[in-house]
Structures are given as C-alpha cells and as structure tokens.
Amino acid sequence: MVRVTVPIPGRSYDVVVGAGVIAHAAEHLPEFPMAATAFVVADHGVAERWFEPLADSLTGRGWSAVPLAVPPGEEAKTLQVYGSLLHQLATQEAHRDDVVIALGGGATGDVAGFVAATYMRGVPFVQVPTTLTAQVDAAIGGKTAVNLPEGKNLVGTFSQPRAVLADVEALNTLHDRDFRSGLAEVAKYGLTLDLELLETLERDPARVLAREPAALEILVARCVRAKAATVARDERDAGARLILNYGHTLGHALERLDAFGGRSHGEAIAIGMVFGARLAEARGLARTGLGSRTARLLSSLGLETDGGLPPAGEIVGAFRLDKKYHGGVRFVLLRDVGQPVVVDDVPESQVREILEDMGAAA
C-alpha cells in the first residue's frame, strides 16, 4: 500500500492507496477518540457491494455504522438531498464527534463533505472513494458542493477530510464507461503536471486499461501526489490550483447544459481538454499539434473527443456562471504539455470559432 500525505498547514491528512483498503479501513484511519458512530453516505449500488466490509472493519474501532442513502451520480448533488442528509443526522442524534464517511464516487463525496462541513458547524469527515475519478481527483483537496439548475458546484465550501482511503479493488467493479471517465482526469494530470505519467499513457496504456491492481495502485498514487502538492500550495483555488481545472470550463458548461444527466464528468472534460488545446493553438500560445496529440491520447483511453455539442451561444452563456469567471471567461491553457497557464483575455469570437469548428451550431 502507498500512503501520500496532503501537507496542508494545520490540517494535513493521509491518502492510503492499495488493494483491500476498505476491508481494513479501521487500521488506516487516524484516531477519533470520542466517536461512537460512523454515518456512511452511499448510493444503493455502492452500499450493496461495499457497506458491509467497511462496517465490519469499523467494528474494530467499536463504532456502529449507519447507512445514509443518496441517489447515484449527480442526482445526489442537490439542496434537497443535502437537506435530507442533515435531517437524518439530526433525527438519529449524530454528535459532533461522530464521523461522516463518503463511500462512493465524486458526487457522493461532494454532498457528504458539504454535510459534514456544516452539520453542527463541522464534524469529522472521511472519504472512501470507489471510482477512478474520485480516487485520483474529487476525494482529495477539500472541495465540497452541490449543484443548482443554473450551474455546477455553486453552493459549497472548502473543508478537508481527515483521511482518504482509496481501494483500487473497487475499480474492478466499475462499468467500462465509468472507468474511462476517470481516465480523463488521469490524462489531465499527465498533460498538465506529470510528463512521466503522460509518456506512460501514450506509450502503453494496456495494463491500466486491463485494470491490473499493481498498475492501478501506481497510477492512482501518482495522481494523488500531483494533486496533493498543488493543493498544499493553493488550498482555496486562488492561484496554482486553478491549473487542475484544465478542460473543466467547457466540461462543466456541457454538464450543466445536459442538465447533469447526459455526458459523464470525464466525458465532458475530455472534450474540454481538446477544446483547450485547439484554443491554445489558435492563440499562438501552443504549437500546432497539441490538439491532435490530446485527441489521440484521449481516444486511446476510450474517450470521445468531438460531436454532440450544444449551440455555441448556449455554451458561452453557461460559461458566465463558471466559478472562474472574472469579468470574462478564464481558461486554463497549455503552452506545451506540462506548461499550464491561466488566460483571462480570450475574445468570445475566438471561443465561438473553436466551438463551431468542433461541431457546435453558430
């Protein structure tokens, strides 16, 4: 097993990556000396497979485990679900020393983390991510939120977990589409921060695509290290952490326009990364070829990179509710692989031109 520390001053915590972590969760958690109950937030499918082994392990701490059900995916990230979870904690007399555990994907972690950050002004929170997207990205860094119809992640807070337990055995239970969606976040790290990871993905992704446990442990740990280092420099998304939003400005807009029920998060940001590469080329920021290289990489990982875009005007309108909007749309672009930069002065006409070249109606 691999242990990676997220070194946030005063609130550092460990991410444990390996096979069988869930069944041995109690061994890897920090001390919670006053806790009596773990409230485990999970959707039905995840709970059916993973709640029992997690609960069995937690008995070693003398804890009882109480399941709290949420809908799957982005349907969990609503104010209604958030409120329902708060009411369940209150009616079951959850106390300040009890622990909220998110068991599942990034959406479950987002809403459970928001609940933990706000119930009784904050209770201990642990992430147990079971999807690739959550293990390499969403579970690390303390972002918690729910969506509004007007946009993604518009209501939330920064609140770091006390621990993250990433069991790579869970990745073998994912549907192919869900696993490929997570590979988009992996590709993001390769394109922006980790050239050795990029080289591995481009040269021979076969072991990762076959979901070999040893390859997955290495892959997840590399991504966690990259994110941990970035979050430690910029916990609240004010500077360096913005680069982790590569591909996400368009990606989040597409998710919102799909009413959070069409493309998966990874499918949306894959298109967003190709858009970002083509925009960087058009602006003369990157050399010609970055867009085609990005598309080849994502295609080799089983991700679509074009087609089915909403009209350009609708996309541009959705950009205006992006959290990075600051008097105009801000994009994370690449000068080259491994050289991300935040760009503020992108004309709307240029954005529309790239979108239309990618198939969006004028």
Side-chain angles (χ1 to χ4, degrees):
M1 294 190 185
V2 179
R3 187 178 293 268
V4 180
T5 299
V6 184
I8 294 174
R11 297 186 307 285
S12 66
Y13 56 94
D14 287 344
V15 182
V16 180
V17 182
V21 172
I22 290 176
H24 298 277
E27 301 169 25
H28 301 296
L29 290 173
E31 292 299 318
F32 297 97
M34 302 296 291
T37 305
F39 292 91
V40 182
V41 180
D43 68 51
H44 174 75
V46 172
E48 193 171 49
R49 175 64 181 85
W50 296 110
F51 176 77
E52 187 173 331
L54 176 62
D56 287 347
S57 177
L58 295 178
T59 60
R61 290 285 182 100
W63 297 355
S64 60
V66 176
L68 300 179
V70 293
E74 293 290 320
E75 293 178 27
K77 291 179 58 174
T78 67
L79 289 171
Q80 291 75 20
V81 172
Y82 165 71
S84 173
L85 290 171
L86 291 174
H87 284 297
Q88 289 180 72
L89 289 175
T91 57
Q92 299 194 59
E93 299 183 353
H95 294 287
R96 221 175 196 172
D97 296 312
D98 291 329
V99 181
V100 171
I101 298 178
L103 176 65
T108 297
D110 281 357
V111 68
F114 189 29
V115 167
T118 50
Y119 181 73
M120 289 191 172
R121 297 193 178 97
V123 298
F125 177 53
V126 171
Q127 289 266 21
V128 184
T130 60
T131 67
L132 185 57
T133 300
Q135 290 189 8
V136 302
D137 191 73
I140 302 110
K143 286 185 176 181
T144 74
V146 296
N147 304 327
L148 296 178
E150 292 80 8
K152 188 176 173 75
N153 297 332
L154 292 183
V155 183
T157 187
F158 289 90
S159 182
Q160 299 296 335
R162 297 281 294 276
V164 180
L165 307 182
D167 192 333
V168 297
E169 284 185 356
L171 304 182
N172 282 311
T173 68
L174 299 178
H175 295 299
D176 283 346
R177 183 186 180 194
D178 294 330
F179 184 73
R180 290 195 305 269
S181 181
L183 289 174
E185 291 284 2
V186 174
K188 177 195 74 177
Y189 287 112
L191 289 164
T192 58
L193 292 171
D194 189 338
L195 295 182
E196 186 176 334
L197 172 61
L198 176 62
E199 193 272 334
T200 299
L201 293 174
E202 290 183 318
R203 185 186 70 249
D204 183 16
R207 293 182 64 216
V208 169
L209 293 172
R211 308 193 205 183
E212 294 182 15
L216 292 176
E217 184 174 307
I218 292 169
L219 181 84
V220 173
R222 287 194 76 98
C223 294
V224 170
R225 288 190 188 99
K227 181 153 191 182
T230 305
V231 169
R233 294 197 303 273
D234 175 24
E235 181 186 2
R236 292 184 171 261
D237 229 4
R241 188 170 178 173
L242 286 172
I243 64 176
L244 298 177
N245 289 299
Y246 185 55
H248 285 59
T249 300
L250 176 56
H252 284 172
L254 294 176
E255 288 182 274
R256 180 209 161 187
L257 293 170
D258 289 341
F260 307 109
R263 297 171 180 85
S264 70
H265 177 69
E267 290 165 345
I269 68 163
I271 295 172
M273 287 188 286
V274 173
F275 167 81
R278 294 182 63 173
L279 181 58
E281 290 177 343
R283 292 178 61 80
L285 189 66
R287 290 179 294 180
T288 300
L290 180 63
S292 58
R293 182 180 183 181
T294 302
R296 282 196 305 273
L297 169 65
L298 295 169
S299 295
S300 74
L301 300 176
L303 290 155
E304 297 290 333
T305 58
D306 56 18
L309 291 181
E314 293 183 13
I315 295 173
V316 170
F319 284 159
R320 297 192 181 101
L321 272 173
D322 187 274
K323 298 182 299 300
K324 300 177 294 300
Y325 190 90
H326 185 69
V329 184
R330 306 174 79 190
F331 290 99
V332 180
L333 301 178
L334 300 180
R335 297 184 187 276
D336 197 351
V337 293
Q339 298 180 35
V341 61
V342 178
V343 177
D344 293 299
D345 56 345
V346 181
E348 184 178 304
S349 59
Q350 192 169 47
V351 170
R352 286 176 176 270
E353 182 179 352
I354 302 299
L355 290 172
E356 289 165 17
D357 285 346
M358 292 180 65

